[in-house]
Every structure is written in structure tokens, then in C-alpha cells.
Amino acid sequence: MSAPVAAPPAEPEPEADVRKDHINKIVLSDEVQRAIEQVLQSSDPLDHPDFDPTDYVNQLFPNEQSLSNIDDVITKMEVDIGLIDDNIRSVVRGQVNTGENGRIALREAQQSITQLFGLITDIKSRAEQTEDMVKEITRDIKQLDSAKNNLTYAITTLNHLHMLVGGVENLKRLAERRQYGEVLNPLQAIIEVNQHFQQYSEIPQIQTLSSQVQQIQTELATQITEDFRHFFAPSAGGGQGRMTITQLKDACQVVSVLDKPVKRNILKWYINLQLQEYIQLFHENQDIAWLDKIDKRYAWVKRHLLDFEEKYGTIFPQDWEISERITVQFCAITREELTKIMARRRTEMDVKLLLFAIQKTANFEQLLDKRFQGSTLTEMKTSAGGGEGPEDQKQPTFIDLIGQCFKAYLDIYTDSIDRSLAELIGQFVQQTPQQLLPKDGASVFPNCAELFVFYKKCMVQCTQLSNEKPMYDLTLIFKRYLREYSSKVLEARIPKLQSSSSGGSSTASSISNSMSLLTKDFQNLSTAAGQVIHNFLKEGEAPRFSMDDIRKICFVLATAEYCLETVQQLEDKLKEKIDKSYANRVDLSDEKDVFHRIISNCIGLLVQDLDTGCEQSLNLMTKISWHNISNVGDQSGFVNQIVTNLKQSVPVIRDNLATSRKYYTQFCHKFVNSFIPKYINTLYRLRPTTSTVGSSSMTTSASSSSISDGAGTGTNSANSSANPGGNILGCEQLLLDTHSLKTVLMDLPSIGSQVQRKPPASYTKVVVKGMAKAEMIIKVVMQPIYPATLYIEQYLKLLPESHVTEFHKILEMKSVRKIEQQQLVELYKRACPQQQQQGAGAGQHDGGGGGDAVPLSQSQQAAASAAAAISGAGSSIIALGDSLMDKGRIKKIESLIKNRLPN
């Protein structure tokens, strides 16, 4: 293929041709070019602004073979050129008349604008002429209207002046005669007229009249005040010239028209006059003034208001609210007097007296709130300069108008609640077990409900007294006695396991006797070790709870759960009732944690007790000679004991935790998490198989280069293939027992119940996983160790998460000798070095078991330590004996080999 045709070299063109091309070249801007592309939307390369003829020709004729159709390309281009020329000619012809048409349209537009301007000018001139005509017509009307307004104002002013001049003289005459009913209307009119003439105060005559009006008002105020004093306090004026009730009623109407200070002074004097008797009667030095007779104060004011309204209620206008004003002043005086007397006699106050006074005061304030509208309180608040906040916009009430004086002494109330709760907790502590037993089929202590009922009463009562600091102090008291109840009532009622005082010495003597037995009978090692373990298990049996104790633990658990839920409700209610400034400080989380801890402790005790019963069966499991079992029958006796233990204890726990299903499920979880690892650890202690491989075969294998090739040749090899794993009937029996235990554990939540419920999925998962591991361990033990590579491969398939420590334990279960164990361990490490590294640490920490361990008592820990010491000592002695025997066999083999080698 030849290269594309290159563009011929450019020949130098004449200067004229270059200038011509430059002139004819059209350069379009980017915006114009984009607009053209949007309109045309052509994909033809000829339409592109960056068109390159050379590239275009190379695209048409990329090689020599493509030149064969050059005629067709030229013909097509000529056709395209013809079409483009035709389009250009039509466009040019269409643009010939465009300029002339535009000029004609422009001239027509200019003529139209000229005509429009002429019309607008004509309209404007006519409008100006019309305006001048209207002004000429209305000129006389405006003058007449202005004259009318001035005349009307002058007439009104003259009338007001006449009224003011005549009214002043008339008012003086009526005031002297005390004809207040006839004074009211002229006085109102004169006051209004006088206000009208204030703008002419510089005129001497007007100033004189205004002074006379002001003097009349002052004289009326003084005169009416004296009339009130003479009427209600006749001793001040000798009782002469006493006015009638009708005159006083009219005088009150006149006072309403006068300045406000006049009315305020009369009311202040009259209210103080009405309460003089009260102040003298209930003076702080009087016995009747103390809190125990506080209801007599309120009885006095009620009686006094009734007498006042009956005798003089019609004198004062209704909008004066005399009864309410007297009551408000009474409340203020009472509050001040009670504050002084309580400060002086604080030591004589007790909670009963304080609550009595508060209750009587609250009842009286509620009565006042229903009787009066509170307009006087609103007026007092406004005159005091109340704010504009949301609290200030509320309608004032009589609530706490007197009662606020008691808030400083509410610590007496909270101290009383403290003492009452202390007595109540003391009563709960002294209750007998029969009094503590739940009633009506419930599982909660009755005193728990009593405690929270008392809490509720105290909270309601404190809300009525104050929802600020006293309620916060009450919250702190609630918190303290919740902790007291949890420790002195609930935790104190949890049963304790009874152990003898000499338990520690007996355990120590048992261990010493067992060790002496082990050292004396060293010749018969197996008999001594068995006797030691038997004696230790016999003497170290842990005590268990009785059925009554288990019920008590369940009762404590259910009561703690009830307290936990009720404390949460109590916290929410306290935050709702208490003042907003204290709401964030109400926190009962510590108390809820205490009840959580009690629940967890009860569950742990139940698990520990059930686990202890199963441990005895597991100890029995270790005493069975599994390698001597001759046939596989029904489940073993230790399984029957475990099932019996579960059927005795679990239904009792389930029935007494019927209202606490989630904690019963948690109990089942913790039990299987504790039992299954212990069961697996017990399996590790068993020797369910016996190896039938002879010592010579093992020795030969040990001396060979690889144990994985088999167990020797000849007779020994035949024996191994005949019975490679020894007696595995014990493993089969263990597998059967393990499956039976798995079935029982799966049914544990509903064991002994007529209603079978499906256990939770999380519980089922734990049981299946744990018991599956136990079954896999037994199956691994059943596998023959020869060939070794196949055994390790099977081991890793069945126990993929195992480690070296566990591998050692399984070899011990198979009774594999130490020298063979070392070689098998080396093969295991090469097969999974990573698992071996992880297993070294895991085996040290979890003891090969895993799971959640239940805390043991001190005696149980001592017993477990002693057992570990004895077991370690026994295994060390056995290992020492095996090592000596192996060394002797190796020496014999070496001597035989030397004798057979040629010199």
C-alpha cells in the first residue's frame, strides 16, 4: 500500500494573486460559526471551519487502488458545485429589492410619528384650557366654603365660652350644696370644654377661666374625701353633716371624672380602713396569728367581704372592684405577716403544720381565683412596668399570692419525706419471708409497688407545693432510697450458699492427704491417681440452692426488672413536672444501672447453680472406663442425671420468670455458653480408645525417616490394618450421648412444658455450633492415626478452627504415646503453621474451652486449683515413666541394629 497522496509543494504566487485571496477571504467569529452550525447541522467535512483540502483528498484516495474511481468523485463534486451556485444566485436575486423596501417602510414610519406628535400637542393645549375654565367656575364656591367653616368654628367657640363661663358659677353653687348628682354632667362638659381652650391659654380671660375650673376640681376632691371620712369614720368629724348612701354613690361617679390620683387616694384610705381590724386581730404577737389557726384568717376576710357587700356594696361603682382590691391588699398583708412570724418561730414548725397551712392557703387562693377576674392584679402589674414577654402576657391569678411565703420552708417537707422513706425501707428490711412472697400469682415483691406508690404520692404533693428546687431535692431523695432499696431489700434477699467455716482447712487437708497417697503408692500409679481423683471429687462437691432459693432469686430478678421499668417512667414524669431550669439535672441512670447489675447477678447465680448440678454428672462421666465398653446401648447414666437436673430446675425458673421472658432467654444463653465448653473440656479428659499397635511396631515407626509411610511392615502392619484404631465403641457411645445432650439443650427453653415453643434463632445457633464441635472431636478421636498425613487431613476438615493445644489433647484422648505425638505435632504444624501460632496463645487463655465462664465461689476456685495441681502432678509422673520406658526400648533397638550391621 502506498502512502497517501501528499499535497504538492506550493509555488510562489504573484503578489496580486496573494492580495486577491486575502481580500476575498471571509473570517467569521466563533459565535456566528456556532449559529451556522446549529442551523445547518451538517456532517460534511466541506462545511467545517477548519477544513483542510490535503486531509480531505487523502481521505478520499488513501491508496493507489482508490484512484480508479476519481472520475466519479469529480462528477459528484461538479454536481455539488452546480447546486451551490444555484443557491447563491437565488439568494443574491432575493436580496436585490430588500434595500428599497426598507427605505420605503422607514419613510412611512417617520410620517406616522409626525402625525402622532401633532395630535398629542393639540390634546395638551385643550386640557390646559379646560383646567383654567374649571378654576374660574369654582373660585366663588371655595370662598363660600371657607367662610362657612370659619363661621361654624366661631359659633362653636362662642358656645363653649358661654358654657364655660356659665358652668363655672353653676358648679361652685352645686358643689357647696353637695348636689353631686347634678354636678356630674356639667363637670364632664366643663372639663371637655376646658381642654378645647388649652390652645388659647395665652389669653388672660381664658387663663382665668381654666384656673377656676382647676380650682373647682381640687375643691371637689377635697370635699368628697372629707365626706367619705365623715361617713365611714364618724368619730373623726363628730358625726355631724353625715351624708346619705345616695350622695356617696353620686360622689363616686364624680370622683371617676376627676383626676386618677383622687380615686387612688380614696381607695387606698378606704381599703386600709377596712383591714385595720384584721391587722390588730391577727398581730404576730397574738396566738390566733400562728399557722395552726391560719384558716381563721381566711374565714375573717370572707365574712368581712360579705358584710361589706351587703352594707356598702351599692355605693361604689362596679368597675372600681372594691371587693377584689380589699382581697388583694389582704393577701399582701397576710403574706408579709406570715413571713415575719415563720422566720421568728421556725423551730416550732413541723411538716404537718406546714402542709396544713399550705393546703388551707391553696384552697383559699383557688376560691379567690374563681370569684374575681384579676383586673386589679393586671392593673398593679401594668403600673409596676411589666414586660412584654410570653410570661408577662398571661392573665395574673391569685395562685401563690400568699403561698409563695411557704416556699422558703419546704425543706421541712423534703426532710420529712426523707425520714418517712427511711422508716419505710426499715419496715421492708424487717419483713418476714412470708410477707415478701408475691401474691395473686405475681412474681414481684409487694413492697416494691408500695415504694413506688409512695413515690407517686410525694411527687404529686410536691408538684402542688413547688416544682422548682424542692422537687429537685425530692428527686435526690428518690435516687438515694432507690439505691437503699436495691441493696438492703433486693440484694439482701438473694440466697447465699451455705458453706462450713472449716471449708478452707478441709480442702487443704484433702489436698495434702491426696498428695501423700500419690507419693506412697508410686509403684501402682494408676490406682493411686484414680483414688486421689475420687477422694477429691467426693470431698469437693459444691453446695446448691434449694427450690425455694431458686424461686427467691427469680422473685428478686423480676422485682429488679419491675423497678427498672418503673424508674424509667419515674424519670420521664419528673422531667415533665419539674421546672425547665432543673429538667436537665434529673438523671436516674445510676439507679437503673444498679437494677441492671442485680438482674445480671441473679441470672449468674441461676446459671451457676444449674451448672454445679451438671458438674457432678460430668465428674461421673470421667469415672467411666470408656475404653472397656463392649457394646453401644442407650444413653449413659451421666446424661440421664443431666436431663433430670435440667427438668428439676429449669421449669421452676421458667414458671417464676413468666413475666420476664427476655431474661429467661438470657439465662438459657448463658447456661449453654457455660455448659458446652465444660462438656468439651470433660471430653478432653477421657480416654475412649485403646491402641492395639505393638511396641515393636511403634518403635520401628519411630526410628524410620517418616511416620506418614505407615506403621511398619510384616506382621505389625497386618495387625494395624486389622484394627487400626483400637476399641472405638467408647467413642460411639460418647457420640450417642453427645447427640442426646444436643437434643436436650435444643429443647431447654421449653423443657418440662406442655406448650412447646420454638427457641430463639440466636440460642439455637449457639447450641448447634458448640455441640457440633463436641461431635467433631469424638469423630476425630475415632479416626486411625495411620497413615498420619491422611489423619491430619481429616482432622483439619473436621476441626478447621483448632490449634496445637487442642491437637495435643485429642492425641491424649487417643492414648497416643509421647514420641508419636511429637512427630504428629510436627506434621500438624507443617500442615497449618498459621493456626499453630494462633493456637499457642488461645490455648493458654481459654483452657481449650471458650465460652462465657460463670464466676465461682472461693471454695470452688480453691478446689479447681487443687484439682489442676493434682492432675498436673499425675500427668508429669506418667510422662516421666513413659519417657524412661521409651529410652529403654530405643537402647535395645540400637543394640540389635549394631549386632546386625557388618563389621
Side-chain angles (χ1 to χ4, degrees), residues 272-318:
N272 290 334
L273 178 66
Q274 294 296 313
L275 294 175
Q276 280 183 357
E277 179 186 353
Y278 171 73
I279 295 174
Q280 295 175 0
L281 186 62
F282 292 91
H283 191 268
E284 60 178 329
N285 295 328
Q286 302 295 328
D287 293 338
I288 198 175
W290 186 228
L291 297 181
D292 58 345
K293 298 179 178 61
I294 194 172
D295 53 335
K296 296 186 180 298
R297 294 175 178 265
Y298 307 137
W300 180 91
V301 74
K302 293 177 190 177
R303 184 173 61 253
H304 186 76
L305 287 177
L306 290 174
D307 293 342
F308 161 75
E309 291 177 356
E310 182 179 354
K311 293 180 180 179
Y312 309 116
T314 58
I315 294 178
F316 300 93
Q318 188 174 2

Short mmCIF file of all heavy atoms in Angstrom, two decimals, residues 272-318:
data_model
loop_
_atom_site.label_atom_id
_atom_site.label_comp_id
_atom_site.label_asym_id
_atom_site.label_seq_id
_atom_site.Cartn_x
_atom_site.Cartn_y
_atom_site.Cartn_z
N ASN A 272 -57.42 50.47 103.58
CA ASN A 272 -56.70 50.38 104.84
C ASN A 272 -57.66 50.45 106.03
O ASN A 272 -57.46 49.77 107.05
CB ASN A 272 -55.66 51.50 104.94
CG ASN A 272 -54.51 51.29 103.96
OD1 ASN A 272 -54.22 50.16 103.58
ND2 ASN A 272 -53.88 52.37 103.54
N LEU A 273 -58.71 51.27 105.89
CA LEU A 273 -59.71 51.36 106.95
C LEU A 273 -60.42 50.03 107.15
O LEU A 273 -60.67 49.60 108.29
CB LEU A 273 -60.72 52.47 106.61
CG LEU A 273 -61.86 52.67 107.59
CD1 LEU A 273 -61.34 53.17 108.94
CD2 LEU A 273 -62.90 53.63 107.01
N GLN A 274 -60.71 49.35 106.04
CA GLN A 274 -61.42 48.07 106.13
C GLN A 274 -60.56 46.97 106.77
O GLN A 274 -61.11 46.05 107.39
CB GLN A 274 -61.85 47.62 104.73
CG GLN A 274 -62.89 48.52 104.08
CD GLN A 274 -64.20 48.51 104.86
OE1 GLN A 274 -64.71 47.46 105.23
NE2 GLN A 274 -64.73 49.70 105.13
N LEU A 275 -59.22 47.06 106.61
CA LEU A 275 -58.35 46.00 107.10
C LEU A 275 -57.69 46.34 108.43
O LEU A 275 -56.82 45.59 108.89
CB LEU A 275 -57.26 45.70 106.06
CG LEU A 275 -57.77 45.10 104.74
CD1 LEU A 275 -56.63 44.95 103.74
CD2 LEU A 275 -58.45 43.76 104.95
N GLN A 276 -58.07 47.43 109.06
CA GLN A 276 -57.49 47.77 110.36
C GLN A 276 -57.82 46.72 111.41
O GLN A 276 -56.97 46.31 112.20
CB GLN A 276 -58.00 49.15 110.81
CG GLN A 276 -57.28 50.32 110.17
CD GLN A 276 -57.78 51.65 110.69
OE1 GLN A 276 -58.72 51.71 111.51
NE2 GLN A 276 -57.18 52.73 110.21
N GLU A 277 -59.05 46.28 111.41
CA GLU A 277 -59.45 45.25 112.38
C GLU A 277 -58.64 43.98 112.19
O GLU A 277 -58.20 43.35 113.16
CB GLU A 277 -60.95 44.98 112.23
CG GLU A 277 -61.46 43.90 113.17
CD GLU A 277 -62.91 43.54 112.90
OE1 GLU A 277 -63.55 44.22 112.05
OE2 GLU A 277 -63.40 42.57 113.51
N TYR A 278 -58.41 43.58 110.92
CA TYR A 278 -57.65 42.36 110.64
C TYR A 278 -56.21 42.48 111.14
O TYR A 278 -55.67 41.54 111.75
CB TYR A 278 -57.67 42.09 109.13
CG TYR A 278 -56.74 40.98 108.70
CD1 TYR A 278 -57.05 39.65 108.98
CD2 TYR A 278 -55.54 41.25 108.04
CE1 TYR A 278 -56.20 38.63 108.60
CE2 TYR A 278 -54.69 40.25 107.66
CZ TYR A 278 -55.01 38.94 107.93
OH TYR A 278 -54.17 37.93 107.56
N ILE A 279 -55.58 43.63 110.91
CA ILE A 279 -54.20 43.81 111.33
C ILE A 279 -54.08 43.73 112.84
O ILE A 279 -53.13 43.12 113.38
CB ILE A 279 -53.67 45.16 110.79
CG1 ILE A 279 -53.62 45.12 109.25
CG2 ILE A 279 -52.29 45.47 111.35
CD1 ILE A 279 -53.26 46.46 108.63
N GLN A 280 -55.01 44.31 113.57
CA GLN A 280 -54.96 44.27 115.02
C GLN A 280 -55.30 42.90 115.57
O GLN A 280 -54.67 42.42 116.53
CB GLN A 280 -55.92 45.32 115.59
CG GLN A 280 -55.54 46.75 115.26
CD GLN A 280 -56.58 47.75 115.72
OE1 GLN A 280 -57.61 47.36 116.31
NE2 GLN A 280 -56.35 49.04 115.45
N LEU A 281 -56.28 42.26 114.96
CA LEU A 281 -56.73 40.96 115.46
C LEU A 281 -55.68 39.87 115.25
O LEU A 281 -55.50 39.00 116.11
CB LEU A 281 -58.05 40.57 114.78
CG LEU A 281 -58.74 39.30 115.27
CD1 LEU A 281 -59.13 39.45 116.75
CD2 LEU A 281 -59.97 39.01 114.43
N PHE A 282 -54.99 39.90 114.12
CA PHE A 282 -54.02 38.85 113.79
C PHE A 282 -52.60 39.39 113.84
O PHE A 282 -51.75 39.06 113.01
CB PHE A 282 -54.31 38.29 112.39
CG PHE A 282 -55.58 37.52 112.30
CD1 PHE A 282 -56.77 38.14 111.96
CD2 PHE A 282 -55.61 36.16 112.60
CE1 PHE A 282 -57.95 37.42 111.89
CE2 PHE A 282 -56.79 35.44 112.52
CZ PHE A 282 -57.97 36.07 112.16
N HIS A 283 -52.32 40.20 114.82
CA HIS A 283 -50.97 40.69 115.01
C HIS A 283 -50.06 39.51 115.36
O HIS A 283 -50.50 38.50 115.92
CB HIS A 283 -50.94 41.75 116.13
CG HIS A 283 -49.65 42.48 116.22
ND1 HIS A 283 -48.62 42.07 117.04
CD2 HIS A 283 -49.19 43.60 115.57
CE1 HIS A 283 -47.60 42.90 116.92
NE2 HIS A 283 -47.92 43.84 116.03
N GLU A 284 -48.77 39.61 115.01
CA GLU A 284 -47.85 38.48 115.18
C GLU A 284 -47.70 38.07 116.64
O GLU A 284 -47.28 36.92 116.92
CB GLU A 284 -46.48 38.83 114.60
CG GLU A 284 -45.82 40.04 115.23
CD GLU A 284 -44.45 40.31 114.65
OE1 GLU A 284 -43.79 39.34 114.25
OE2 GLU A 284 -44.04 41.48 114.57
N ASN A 285 -48.03 38.92 117.58
CA ASN A 285 -47.92 38.55 118.98
C ASN A 285 -49.16 37.79 119.48
O ASN A 285 -49.15 37.29 120.61
CB ASN A 285 -47.73 39.80 119.84
CG ASN A 285 -46.40 40.48 119.54
OD1 ASN A 285 -45.43 39.80 119.21
ND2 ASN A 285 -46.36 41.80 119.65
N GLN A 286 -50.21 37.73 118.68
CA GLN A 286 -51.43 37.05 119.07
C GLN A 286 -51.34 35.55 118.78
O GLN A 286 -50.71 35.13 117.80
CB GLN A 286 -52.63 37.65 118.32
CG GLN A 286 -52.82 39.14 118.53
CD GLN A 286 -53.16 39.48 119.98
OE1 GLN A 286 -53.81 38.68 120.68
NE2 GLN A 286 -52.73 40.66 120.43
N ASP A 287 -51.95 34.74 119.63
CA ASP A 287 -51.94 33.29 119.43
C ASP A 287 -52.68 32.89 118.16
O ASP A 287 -52.34 31.89 117.52
CB ASP A 287 -52.57 32.59 120.64
CG ASP A 287 -51.71 32.76 121.90
OD1 ASP A 287 -50.49 33.01 121.74
OD2 ASP A 287 -52.27 32.64 123.00
N ILE A 288 -53.70 33.66 117.83
CA ILE A 288 -54.50 33.32 116.66
C ILE A 288 -53.74 33.54 115.35
O ILE A 288 -54.17 33.09 114.29
CB ILE A 288 -55.80 34.16 116.67
CG1 ILE A 288 -56.84 33.53 115.74
CG2 ILE A 288 -55.52 35.60 116.28
CD1 ILE A 288 -58.17 34.24 115.81
N ALA A 289 -52.58 34.22 115.44
CA ALA A 289 -51.82 34.52 114.22
C ALA A 289 -50.95 33.36 113.77
O ALA A 289 -50.40 33.40 112.65
CB ALA A 289 -50.94 35.76 114.45
N TRP A 290 -50.79 32.28 114.58
CA TRP A 290 -49.90 31.19 114.22
C TRP A 290 -50.53 30.29 113.15
O TRP A 290 -51.73 30.38 112.87
CB TRP A 290 -49.54 30.40 115.47
CG TRP A 290 -48.50 29.32 115.27
CD1 TRP A 290 -48.57 28.04 115.69
CD2 TRP A 290 -47.25 29.44 114.60
NE1 TRP A 290 -47.45 27.33 115.34
CE2 TRP A 290 -46.61 28.18 114.66
CE3 TRP A 290 -46.59 30.48 113.94
CZ2 TRP A 290 -45.36 27.93 114.08
CZ3 TRP A 290 -45.35 30.24 113.38
CH2 TRP A 290 -44.74 28.99 113.45
N LEU A 291 -49.70 29.44 112.54
CA LEU A 291 -50.14 28.65 111.38
C LEU A 291 -51.27 27.70 111.70
O LEU A 291 -52.05 27.35 110.79
CB LEU A 291 -48.94 27.87 110.82
CG LEU A 291 -47.77 28.70 110.29
CD1 LEU A 291 -46.68 27.79 109.74
CD2 LEU A 291 -48.24 29.67 109.21
N ASP A 292 -51.36 27.23 112.92
CA ASP A 292 -52.41 26.25 113.23
C ASP A 292 -53.80 26.87 113.18
O ASP A 292 -54.80 26.14 113.13
CB ASP A 292 -52.16 25.64 114.61
CG ASP A 292 -52.10 26.69 115.71
OD1 ASP A 292 -51.97 27.89 115.36
OD2 ASP A 292 -52.18 26.33 116.89
N LYS A 293 -53.89 28.21 113.18
CA LYS A 293 -55.18 28.88 113.07
C LYS A 293 -55.24 29.75 111.83
O LYS A 293 -55.95 30.77 111.79
CB LYS A 293 -55.44 29.74 114.31
CG LYS A 293 -55.51 28.93 115.61
CD LYS A 293 -55.75 29.82 116.79
CE LYS A 293 -55.87 29.01 118.07
NZ LYS A 293 -54.65 28.25 118.37
N ILE A 294 -54.51 29.33 110.79
CA ILE A 294 -54.45 30.14 109.56
C ILE A 294 -55.81 30.19 108.87
O ILE A 294 -56.13 31.15 108.15
CB ILE A 294 -53.36 29.60 108.62
CG1 ILE A 294 -53.05 30.62 107.53
CG2 ILE A 294 -53.77 28.26 108.01
CD1 ILE A 294 -51.86 30.25 106.68
N ASP A 295 -56.63 29.14 109.07
CA ASP A 295 -57.94 29.14 108.42
C ASP A 295 -58.85 30.23 108.99
O ASP A 295 -59.79 30.68 108.32
CB ASP A 295 -58.59 27.77 108.57
CG ASP A 295 -58.64 27.32 110.02
OD1 ASP A 295 -57.80 27.79 110.82
OD2 ASP A 295 -59.51 26.49 110.35
N LYS A 296 -58.57 30.70 110.23
CA LYS A 296 -59.37 31.78 110.81
C LYS A 296 -59.13 33.10 110.08
O LYS A 296 -60.02 33.96 110.03
CB LYS A 296 -59.08 31.93 112.30
CG LYS A 296 -59.47 30.70 113.12
CD LYS A 296 -59.29 30.94 114.60
CE LYS A 296 -59.69 29.71 115.40
NZ LYS A 296 -61.11 29.36 115.21
N ARG A 297 -57.91 33.28 109.54
CA ARG A 297 -57.63 34.48 108.75
C ARG A 297 -58.55 34.52 107.53
O ARG A 297 -59.18 35.55 107.23
CB ARG A 297 -56.18 34.48 108.27
CG ARG A 297 -55.15 34.62 109.37
CD ARG A 297 -53.74 34.49 108.79
NE ARG A 297 -52.70 34.66 109.78
CZ ARG A 297 -52.07 35.81 110.05
NH1 ARG A 297 -52.42 36.90 109.37
NH2 ARG A 297 -51.14 35.88 110.97
N TYR A 298 -58.64 33.42 106.84
CA TYR A 298 -59.43 33.38 105.61
C TYR A 298 -60.94 33.43 105.91
O TYR A 298 -61.71 34.00 105.13
CB TYR A 298 -59.08 32.11 104.82
CG TYR A 298 -57.59 31.98 104.59
CD1 TYR A 298 -56.94 30.76 104.75
CD2 TYR A 298 -56.83 33.08 104.21
CE1 TYR A 298 -55.57 30.64 104.55
CE2 TYR A 298 -55.46 32.97 104.00
CZ TYR A 298 -54.84 31.75 104.18
OH TYR A 298 -53.49 31.64 103.99
N ALA A 299 -61.32 32.86 107.05
CA ALA A 299 -62.73 32.96 107.45
C ALA A 299 -63.09 34.41 107.75
O ALA A 299 -64.20 34.88 107.44
CB ALA A 299 -62.99 32.07 108.67
N TRP A 300 -62.14 35.15 108.38
CA TRP A 300 -62.42 36.55 108.70
C TRP A 300 -62.66 37.37 107.44
O TRP A 300 -63.61 38.14 107.36
CB TRP A 300 -61.25 37.14 109.49
CG TRP A 300 -61.47 38.57 109.86
CD1 TRP A 300 -62.05 39.04 111.00
CD2 TRP A 300 -61.15 39.72 109.06
NE1 TRP A 300 -62.12 40.41 110.98
CE2 TRP A 300 -61.58 40.86 109.80
CE3 TRP A 300 -60.58 39.90 107.81
CZ2 TRP A 300 -61.41 42.16 109.32
CZ3 TRP A 300 -60.42 41.19 107.34
CH2 TRP A 300 -60.83 42.31 108.07
N VAL A 301 -61.79 37.21 106.43
CA VAL A 301 -61.92 38.03 105.22
C VAL A 301 -63.18 37.66 104.45
O VAL A 301 -63.84 38.53 103.85
CB VAL A 301 -60.65 37.94 104.35
CG1 VAL A 301 -60.57 36.61 103.62
CG2 VAL A 301 -60.60 39.09 103.34
N LYS A 302 -63.54 36.40 104.46
CA LYS A 302 -64.78 36.01 103.78
C LYS A 302 -65.98 36.69 104.45
O LYS A 302 -66.87 37.22 103.76
CB LYS A 302 -64.95 34.48 103.83
CG LYS A 302 -63.94 33.70 103.02
CD LYS A 302 -64.19 32.20 103.22
CE LYS A 302 -63.05 31.38 102.64
NZ LYS A 302 -63.25 29.94 102.90
N ARG A 303 -66.00 36.60 105.76
CA ARG A 303 -67.11 37.21 106.50
C ARG A 303 -67.13 38.72 106.32
O ARG A 303 -68.19 39.33 106.14
CB ARG A 303 -66.99 36.83 107.97
CG ARG A 303 -68.13 37.30 108.84
CD ARG A 303 -68.01 36.74 110.25
NE ARG A 303 -66.79 37.18 110.90
CZ ARG A 303 -65.74 36.39 111.12
NH1 ARG A 303 -65.77 35.11 110.74
NH2 ARG A 303 -64.65 36.86 111.70
N HIS A 304 -65.97 39.32 106.33
CA HIS A 304 -65.90 40.78 106.21
C HIS A 304 -66.36 41.23 104.82
O HIS A 304 -67.05 42.26 104.69
CB HIS A 304 -64.47 41.25 106.47
CG HIS A 304 -64.34 42.74 106.51
ND1 HIS A 304 -64.74 43.50 107.57
CD2 HIS A 304 -63.87 43.63 105.58
CE1 HIS A 304 -64.52 44.77 107.33
NE2 HIS A 304 -63.99 44.88 106.11
N LEU A 305 -65.98 40.49 103.77
CA LEU A 305 -66.40 40.85 102.42
C LEU A 305 -67.91 40.74 102.26
O LEU A 305 -68.55 41.56 101.59
CB LEU A 305 -65.68 39.97 101.39
CG LEU A 305 -64.19 40.27 101.16
CD1 LEU A 305 -63.60 39.27 100.17
CD2 LEU A 305 -64.00 41.69 100.63
N LEU A 306 -68.49 39.71 102.88
CA LEU A 306 -69.95 39.57 102.82
C LEU A 306 -70.64 40.75 103.50
O LEU A 306 -71.63 41.31 102.97
CB LEU A 306 -70.38 38.25 103.46
CG LEU A 306 -70.00 36.97 102.69
CD1 LEU A 306 -70.37 35.74 103.51
CD2 LEU A 306 -70.71 36.94 101.34
N ASP A 307 -70.15 41.14 104.68
CA ASP A 307 -70.75 42.30 105.38
C ASP A 307 -70.60 43.57 104.57
O ASP A 307 -71.54 44.39 104.48
CB ASP A 307 -70.09 42.47 106.75
CG ASP A 307 -70.41 41.30 107.68
OD1 ASP A 307 -71.39 40.58 107.39
OD2 ASP A 307 -69.67 41.10 108.66
N PHE A 308 -69.41 43.77 103.99
CA PHE A 308 -69.17 44.99 103.21
C PHE A 308 -70.10 45.06 102.01
O PHE A 308 -70.73 46.10 101.75
CB PHE A 308 -67.71 45.03 102.77
CG PHE A 308 -67.46 45.95 101.62
CD1 PHE A 308 -67.44 47.33 101.80
CD2 PHE A 308 -67.29 45.45 100.33
CE1 PHE A 308 -67.25 48.19 100.73
CE2 PHE A 308 -67.09 46.30 99.27
CZ PHE A 308 -67.07 47.68 99.46
N GLU A 309 -70.20 43.96 101.24
CA GLU A 309 -71.03 43.98 100.04
C GLU A 309 -72.51 44.15 100.39
O GLU A 309 -73.28 44.74 99.62
CB GLU A 309 -70.81 42.70 99.24
CG GLU A 309 -69.42 42.62 98.61
CD GLU A 309 -69.20 41.31 97.89
OE1 GLU A 309 -70.11 40.45 97.96
OE2 GLU A 309 -68.14 41.14 97.25
N GLU A 310 -72.90 43.64 101.55
CA GLU A 310 -74.30 43.77 101.94
C GLU A 310 -74.62 45.22 102.36
O GLU A 310 -75.70 45.75 102.02
CB GLU A 310 -74.60 42.82 103.09
CG GLU A 310 -76.06 42.85 103.55
CD GLU A 310 -76.32 41.87 104.67
OE1 GLU A 310 -75.40 41.10 105.01
OE2 GLU A 310 -77.44 41.88 105.22
N LYS A 311 -73.72 45.88 103.07
CA LYS A 311 -73.98 47.22 103.57
C LYS A 311 -73.61 48.32 102.58
O LYS A 311 -74.40 49.24 102.32
CB LYS A 311 -73.19 47.44 104.87
CG LYS A 311 -73.66 46.58 106.02
CD LYS A 311 -72.83 46.87 107.26
CE LYS A 311 -73.29 46.01 108.45
NZ LYS A 311 -72.47 46.28 109.65
N TYR A 312 -72.42 48.23 102.02
CA TYR A 312 -71.90 49.34 101.23
C TYR A 312 -71.57 48.95 99.79
O TYR A 312 -70.91 49.72 99.09
CB TYR A 312 -70.64 49.89 101.89
CG TYR A 312 -70.81 50.21 103.34
CD1 TYR A 312 -70.09 49.52 104.32
CD2 TYR A 312 -71.70 51.21 103.75
CE1 TYR A 312 -70.25 49.80 105.66
CE2 TYR A 312 -71.88 51.49 105.10
CZ TYR A 312 -71.14 50.78 106.04
OH TYR A 312 -71.32 51.08 107.37
N GLY A 313 -72.01 47.79 99.38
CA GLY A 313 -71.66 47.36 98.03
C GLY A 313 -72.25 48.24 96.95
O GLY A 313 -71.68 48.36 95.85
N THR A 314 -73.39 48.88 97.23
CA THR A 314 -74.04 49.70 96.21
C THR A 314 -73.44 51.10 96.09
O THR A 314 -73.77 51.83 95.15
CB THR A 314 -75.54 49.83 96.53
OG1 THR A 314 -75.69 50.40 97.85
CG2 THR A 314 -76.21 48.46 96.50
N ILE A 315 -72.59 51.49 97.03
CA ILE A 315 -72.02 52.85 96.99
C ILE A 315 -71.01 52.99 95.86
O ILE A 315 -71.05 53.95 95.08
CB ILE A 315 -71.36 53.18 98.35
CG1 ILE A 315 -72.42 53.25 99.45
CG2 ILE A 315 -70.58 54.49 98.27
CD1 ILE A 315 -71.84 53.52 100.81
N PHE A 316 -70.14 52.03 95.74
CA PHE A 316 -69.02 52.14 94.80
C PHE A 316 -69.42 51.59 93.44
O PHE A 316 -70.15 50.57 93.34
CB PHE A 316 -67.82 51.39 95.34
CG PHE A 316 -67.35 51.90 96.68
CD1 PHE A 316 -67.79 51.33 97.85
CD2 PHE A 316 -66.49 52.98 96.74
CE1 PHE A 316 -67.36 51.80 99.08
CE2 PHE A 316 -66.06 53.47 97.97
CZ PHE A 316 -66.50 52.87 99.15
N PRO A 317 -68.95 52.20 92.39
CA PRO A 317 -69.23 51.67 91.03
C PRO A 317 -68.64 50.27 90.86
O PRO A 317 -67.65 49.89 91.51
CB PRO A 317 -68.54 52.68 90.11
CG PRO A 317 -68.39 53.91 90.91
CD PRO A 317 -68.21 53.46 92.33
N GLN A 318 -69.25 49.52 89.99
CA GLN A 318 -68.81 48.13 89.79
C GLN A 318 -67.40 48.05 89.23
O GLN A 318 -66.64 47.13 89.55
CB GLN A 318 -69.80 47.42 88.87
CG GLN A 318 -69.54 45.92 88.74
CD GLN A 318 -70.62 45.24 87.93
OE1 GLN A 318 -71.54 45.90 87.44
NE2 GLN A 318 -70.51 43.92 87.79
#
